Amino acid sequence: MRSLYLAVTEIARNKLRFVVVFLIVALITILVLFTAALGDGLAQSTSEYLDGLDASLLAFQSDVNYQIPASRLGRSRLNAIRRVPGVLAVGPIGVSSATIIAVDGVACKELSAALIGVEPRAPGSPPVLRGDPLANSRAADAVVDQHIVERLGLPIGATITLKVVQGMEEQHYNLRVVGATSGSKINFTPAIFVPLQRWDRIRPQEQVGGSGNEIIFNIVAVQLDGSVPSATVADEVMVQVAHVEMTDPVTAYKATQGYQDMQSTLSLQQGFVLVIVVLIIGSFFQIQTLQKVAQIGMLKAIGASSWTVVGALLFQIMLTLLVGLSVGLAAVWLLAQALPTGIPLVFSGGKIAVAIASILAAGPLAAMLAVRTILKIEPLRALGLSA
Amino acid sequence: MSALEARAVSKLYRAHDVEVLAVDALTLSVEAGEFVALIGPSGSGKTTMLALLAGLLLPDSGEVVIEGRSLNSLGKAGLAAFRLKQIGFTFQAHNLVPYLTVRENVELMLRLNGRLDRQGRARATELLTQLGLERRLNNLPSELSGGQQQRVAIARALVHEPSIVLADEPTASLDSERAHQVTAILAQLIHAQGRAGIMVTHDPRMCIYADRIVRLEDGRVTRVLTTREEIALFAQTG
């Protein structure tokens, strides 16, 4: 309590000096939390669709390192996978890109989208928030991601025009929006879902109007019936179906080009910021300790223990971090409310807790140098002597 | 039994290859209610002696006994705890905690001792009133004159009722009038409260308030003045 008293009184009587440090900690908190949120947001933008898939396993063409654009699968393999024991349902997924150029015939600001071909009601087909799901009987229907609905102000029933390059020509295709879904971004772009056959006609390809042969899609979403362990099913598929590699959706999106690089860059950035916290807090309190050498010597001479003085320092560091963190968290909350939608920021409780714990853990680290200085100050200094 | 006894204490400083015998087999005892002035030229060993008496330094030989207890037997933490309870200290400078008010600086001693109760607070206020600081209770040290700061330090040195009061050059930074004022108050309170007080000073005029003057040279006692006449004469002529 003596330490807490000294710590709090010094802060209260030197508000301006400490407010500056509180603000620095608050700014660092904002930076750490935004970096964490950006990491999650970017990860989500990369993986949202795969992460939310109603499938336990994904089948890829072998030797493509789980890269969706490089994978090529056809109906024969899909059917072979369906026959493996433990498989409940399979759904083909084709992924390409397109650009929305008009709504109801009126040109709009061009918006890039992922064009995803799925089999209606099969794994991979999106659940709808509003409107109707896809149906094979309505080939020109589309279910679009909520981001697209919000960005373009699309009503259900609107017709969107897509621009796609096929061969050397720019082709335009009209789709009727019958439903809206959420959480379906893939590689940072929101998705437009269409039945697979329609997708095969629209997707960019060498000739206009589709391959004409067997539809080639990219991956197969596999639902299991639970009778056989997932790993066993995956192994069995790879034994029974040639040139197919199985994995789970998490491994698949983590293998997405650049995903690991992006996440490790952001983690490195967070690490650097935490090092900066240690250095700033450590320097501030070390300088303050050096300025108080005579005072600390006097306190020790009158009988205050070293641990009373060290305790005061630790309380000050933790109070500084707690106040700075609180201000930073409040600022992050306000900023998060004010930011426009579309910015890839996801504030998850777990990441926020880790960031807070890391910043608080930086306190004792930052204190080490100042603690060492305090322990070395001799009470003899109060008499102008040295040991 | 004396409140404080130094029994043939010696302290040798070693720096590089040079050895300096700062205190040389010095013996001194101070009774409760007695105020002793330690004087001498620079380098005579006054401050080192004060550090030995406070347990800030341990002697190379001999021992310091306070209230029947030898400081040699106490470890670093034990010495700090002993100082906290048994010794009141005033220093030449940096006496006060700059972010605590006058009242808080005095009460700090009680707080550190775990004795900050209603009685302790009342005693702190009473002491500060006796020292003429009743209107300065809520001022910070930076708002006080040097003399006022020394008076706060005196209050802090006495508030926890120590058996020994040690003052290191308490008037060094004060003008003559304030130096007399501070020393007179210190002596008066030491007498009134029955503490054993030792003041290190280089100013002979301040010795007028002492009951005994001990002059040191080269770490040894060279002269002791005990009668009022000797003390008064020394205070006048130095």
Side-chain angles (χ1 to χ4, degrees), chain A residues 305-317:
Chain A
S305 71
S306 290
W307 294 110
T308 300
V309 186
V310 167
L313 169 82
L314 293 176
F315 273 125
Q316 278 187 350
I317 289 181

Side-chain angles (χ1 to χ4, degrees), chain A residues 199-265:
Chain A
W199 171 80
D200 188 49
R201 287 195 61 204
I202 300 174
R203 70 185 168 93
Q205 50 202 307
E206 289 176 8
Q207 291 179 324
V208 178
S211 58
N213 303 316
E214 185 190 18
I215 296 176
I216 300 297
F217 41 89
N218 299 104
I219 55 174
V220 176
V222 182
Q223 264 179 10
L224 306 180
D225 61 15
S227 62
V228 183
S230 168
T232 310
V233 176
D235 290 344
E236 197 57 33
V237 168
M238 290 189 280
V239 168
Q240 292 189 21
V241 186
H243 307 302
V244 164
E245 207 164 345
M246 301 295 287
T247 189
D248 58 279
V250 175
T251 309
Y253 71 68
K254 284 187 175 170
T256 306
Q257 204 115 40
Y259 180 91
Q260 296 292 7
D261 295 339
M262 179 180 68
Q263 290 300 313
S264 55
T265 302

Side-chain angles (χ1 to χ4, degrees), chain A residues 1-175:
Chain A
M1 283 305 105
R2 301 160 197 167
S3 301
L4 183 61
Y5 166 77
L6 288 172
V8 172
T9 313
E10 184 170 15
I11 291 174
R13 302 263 158 80
N14 293 282
K15 289 186 194 76
L16 189 63
R17 193 195 310 165
F18 280 91
V19 160
V20 172
V21 191
F22 293 160
L23 288 177
I24 290 171
V25 175
L27 288 171
I28 286 169
T29 303
I30 294 170
L31 189 57
V32 168
L33 291 183
F34 266 88
T35 310
L38 187 64
D40 278 359
L42 291 174
Q44 195 183 68
S45 296
T46 311
S47 63
E48 205 172 38
Y49 173 59
L50 293 181
D51 204 26
L53 267 183
D54 52 348
S56 307
L57 292 171
L58 293 175
F60 284 77
Q61 182 185 337
S62 58
D63 300 326
V64 297
N65 297 322
Y66 305 130
Q67 300 302 310
I68 294 174
S71 176
R72 297 276 186 277
L73 295 174
R75 281 278 169 199
S76 53
R77 287 204 184 101
L78 178 123
N79 291 332
I81 294 169
R82 196 196 312 268
R83 288 193 291 273
V84 172
V87 173
L88 177 68
V90 292
I93 299 172
V95 181
S96 61
S97 58
T99 306
I100 302 171
I101 57 168
V103 176
D104 288 331
V106 178
C108 66
K109 190 179 175 190
E110 292 194 359
L111 181 65
S112 295
L115 184 68
I116 300 180
V118 293
E119 207 163 78
R121 289 187 298 281
S125 185
V128 290
L129 290 174
R130 288 181 294 121
D132 297 323
L134 293 174
N136 277 323
S137 56
R138 302 192 305 269
D141 286 357
V143 167
V144 299
D145 189 274
Q146 189 66 22
H147 284 98
I148 298 176
V149 172
E150 286 170 9
R151 293 271 293 272
L152 298 178
L154 283 181
I156 300 294
T159 299
I160 54 174
T161 305
L162 301 187
K163 178 181 77 178
V164 177
V165 175
Q166 292 185 334
M168 302 293 284
E169 296 173 34
E170 185 179 287
Q171 298 291 317
H172 292 176
Y173 295 92
N174 287 333
L175 294 170

Side-chain angles (χ1 to χ4, degrees), chain B residues 6 9 23 26 28 38 45-54 64 216:
Chain B
V9 293
V23 175
L26 198 148
L28 175 73
L38 269 185
K46 309 185 292 291
T47 304
T48 299
M49 189 61 201
L50 203 69
L52 289 165
L53 295 175
V64 173
L216 300 186

Side-chain angles (χ1 to χ4, degrees), chain A residues 2 5-6 9-10 13-14 292 294-295 298-305 308 378-380 382-383 385-386, chain B residues 13 47 51 56-57 76 80 83-84 89 91 94-101 104 108-109 111-112 156 168:
Chain A
R2 301 160 197 167
Y5 166 77
L6 288 172
T9 313
E10 184 170 15
R13 302 263 158 80
N14 293 282
K292 294 196 299 187
Q295 185 197 126
M298 179 274 290
L299 283 170
K300 287 187 176 184
I302 64 173
S305 71
T308 300
E378 288 288 335
L380 277 174
L383 295 173
L385 297 174
S386 63
Chain B
Y13 287 128
T47 304
L56 296 175
L57 280 175
K76 210 170 182 178
R83 280 198 300 277
L84 193 59
F89 238 133
F91 307 101
H94 306 297
N95 255 309
L96 305 175
V97 180
Y99 53 82
L100 298 182
T101 64
E104 289 165 345
L108 177 65
M109 214 53 215
R111 197 180 282 276
L112 291 173
R156 190 193 58 200
D168 178 37

